[in-house]
């Protein structure tokens, strides 16, 4: 599995006493998020903090995705609030992650509001955002 390979790579880096960067942790968290492996992402975040690194906007975005893919929609929304509380401004990736969460949860009204907000702030939306809106609209007969 790719997640096992990522774990081995991180452990090897530590064993070889290579300098570990926050990007390595963020990449691993992102990989776990893509699979909805929020527990593994959380454990990696703990390691990241022990190594002296703080969460970045990429870390927050990955956790929104991880919780969303795991069906933990309230947790995903809480991460969005935590991101703002930490002083970060949401970016297009943040909003796309939230749109994914709302669509996966079948929350049409929230998805529509998120999509419209994205259109206001973003230059050009990804085609996947439009596809998600078409899909949830069809499922909700709207």
């Amino acid at each position: 599995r790719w997640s096992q390979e990522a774990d081995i790579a991180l452990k090897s880096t530590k064993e070889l006493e290579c300098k570990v960067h926050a990007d390595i942790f963020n990449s691993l968290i992102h990989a776990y998020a893509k699979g909805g492996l929020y527990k593994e992402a959380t454990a990696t975040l703990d390691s990241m903090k022990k190594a002296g690194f703080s969460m970045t906007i990429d870390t927050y975005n990955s956790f929104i995705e991880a919780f969303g893919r795991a069906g933990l929609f309230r947790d995903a929304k809480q991460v969005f609030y935590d991101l703002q509380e930490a002083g970060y401004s949401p970016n297009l990736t943040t909003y796309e992650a939230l749109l994914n969460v709302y669509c996966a949860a079948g929350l049409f009204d929230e998805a529509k509001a998120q999509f419209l907000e994205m259109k206001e702030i973003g230059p050009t939306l990804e085609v996947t955002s439009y596809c998600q809106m078409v899909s949830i609209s069809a499922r909700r007969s709207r």
Side-chain angles (χ1 to χ4, degrees), residues 4-130:
Q4 290 171 334
E5 291 174 16
D7 286 337
I8 290 168
L10 181 60
K11 287 177 185 172
S12 297
T13 302
K14 290 178 182 178
E15 288 172 4
L16 295 172
E17 297 181 10
C18 295
K19 186 173 182 179
V20 179
H21 298 277
D23 292 340
I24 292 171
F25 288 106
N26 278 327
S27 295
L28 188 54
I29 290 168
H30 182 73
Y32 286 135
K34 287 287 184 196
L37 303 171
Y38 70 94
K39 290 179 183 176
E40 289 84 348
T42 302
T44 303
L45 177 61
D46 291 341
S47 296
M48 181 178 171
K49 289 180 176 178
K50 285 179 187 172
F53 298 108
S54 300
M55 292 178 74
T56 66
I57 191 163
D58 293 330
T59 316
Y60 285 103
N61 289 343
S62 291
F63 271 96
I64 291 170
E65 183 170 0
F67 288 133
R69 286 184 182 257
L72 303 170
F73 308 118
R74 287 191 178 111
D75 292 325
K77 188 66 177 183
Q78 183 59 51
V79 172
F80 176 75
Y81 295 133
D82 293 346
L83 173 146
Q84 292 176 310
E85 192 174 295
Y88 291 105
S89 296
N91 58 24
L92 191 55
T93 303
T94 309
Y95 290 121
E96 286 174 344
L98 273 177
L99 181 63
N100 289 338
V101 168
Y102 294 142
C103 288
L107 301 171
F108 177 81
D109 293 332
E110 290 85 346
K112 181 179 175 184
Q114 185 65 51
F115 182 77
L116 294 174
E117 185 175 348
M118 288 167 62
K119 284 183 72 171
E120 286 180 23
I121 63 158
T124 305
L125 299 181
E126 296 290 327
V127 69
T128 54
S129 297
Y130 287 97

